[in-house]
Amino acid sequence: EIVLTQSPATLSLSPGERATLSCRASQSVSSYLAWYQQKPGQAPRLLIYDASNRATGVPARFSGSGSGTDFTLTISSLEPEDFAVYYCQQRSSWPPLTFGPGTKVDIK
Amino acid sequence: EVQLLESGGGLVQPGGSLRLSCEASGFTFSDYVMDWVRQAPGKGLEWVSVISGSGGETNYADSVKGRFTISRDNSKSTLYLQMNSLRAEDTALYYCAKVGRANKWDQFFDFWGQGTLVTVSS
């Protein structure tokens, strides 16, 4: 099973600041990594797939990078609606599909 | 507009059974692999099961293998999850999720339902 580790667990930032979230895989997942955003009481929302492709309707301030075992989700300038929990997910080797434990981005 | 609407959750005693449903609309259901993903209260996301577009191929997380059965009725555009021998640790919000590309096992999820809550408790 591929284990995904996300850091930091919590990121406290102010609107307008840049957010950098990390996801590390226990073995290579090539570029088969996705990022999701989840707000309280809502289902997850796909942001990025295959490491760097923005999903339909996702603002350009969200970008993904990386390959192999190290990946980054960057939010270039935080908007108020971006404060949420972010999960990474790999589809390189399954079953099982695996998710990271999440990074919470909260308001400083 | 793609919509996924789960139902069937509720309170059940340990050892009991439930069948979840996910009614899909807004896309050609039979063209897409579909999954169930769950989230225990206050916790992260856990993949549960997957089924091919035809329904002929399935797979499960070890934690539910032998107890849960995924199925689909393409004539009704509905996905199911039959859950037997339920345990307290199965308590979670269960989401159905659609994969991002038709006719492929590309398991990233571009649409999710709102979830149905399963509580296993005596």
Side-chain angles (χ1 to χ4, degrees):
Chain A
E1 171 176 334
I2 295 178
V3 177
L4 299 178
T5 304
Q6 292 187 242
S7 61
T10 303
L11 192 55
S12 296
L13 295 168
S14 300
E17 289 193 292
R18 183 182 187 91
T20 303
L21 288 67
S22 174
C23 177
R24 178 164 290 177
S26 59
Q27 63 191 77
S28 176
V29 299
S30 185
S31 295
Y32 298 130
L33 191 101
W35 291 92
Y36 301 87
Q37 176 194 67
Q38 188 177 35
K39 298 178 182 178
Q42 296 186 16
R45 171 197 180 195
L46 177 67
L47 297 176
I48 302 288
Y49 64 94
D50 293 349
S52 60
N53 296 285
R54 265 191 307 276
T56 302
V58 175
R61 64 181 180 272
F62 291 92
S63 63
S65 63
S67 65
T69 60
D70 290 298
F71 299 86
T72 301
L73 174 69
T74 301
I75 311 170
S76 59
S77 178
L78 282 163
E79 296 288 339
E81 62 267 28
D82 299 337
F83 292 93
V85 179
Y86 293 83
Y87 295 96
C88 57
Q89 175 239 321
Q90 67 83 21
R91 65 177 184 89
S92 174
S93 175
W94 62 276
L97 289 178
T98 51
F99 292 86
T103 290
K104 182 177 182 181
V105 178
D106 65 14
I107 300 176
K108 187 174 182 180
Chain B
E1 178 193 5
V2 172
Q3 291 194 348
L4 299 171
L5 183 62
E6 301 98 334
S7 61
L11 175 64
V12 61
Q13 292 189 338
S17 298
L18 277 178
R19 188 174 86 153
L20 308 184
S21 299
C22 170
E23 187 172 342
S25 60
F27 63 102
T28 305
F29 183 67
S30 59
D31 284 350
Y32 288 85
V33 168
M34 296 290 295
D35 291 62
W36 288 97
V37 177
R38 68 184 180 183
Q39 187 169 35
K43 303 297 184 182
L45 300 167
E46 180 189 14
W47 174 77
V48 174
S49 185
V50 61
I51 188 167
S52 64
S54 67
E57 296 179 68
T58 60
N59 225 311
Y60 300 90
D62 285 347
S63 57
V64 307
K65 197 173 295 183
R67 300 186 299 121
F68 290 12
T69 302
I70 191 171
S71 63
R72 64 194 296 160
D73 184 338
N74 287 341
S75 68
K76 296 181 179 179
S77 296
T78 302
L79 176 71
Y80 302 102
L81 186 68
Q82 177 67 43
M83 305 187 297
N84 298 331
S85 302
L86 282 160
R87 306 167 179 167
E89 55 265 35
D90 296 317
T91 294
L93 189 62
Y94 284 73
Y95 295 103
C96 63
K98 169 188 168 292
V99 303
R101 295 191 181 107
N103 301 308
K104 292 191 180 293
W105 289 90
D106 291 351
Q107 294 220 82
F108 57 90
F109 306 116
D110 61 349
F111 285 95
W112 299 62
Q114 284 304 302
T116 186
L117 182 63
V118 173
T119 304
V120 185
S121 174
S122 54

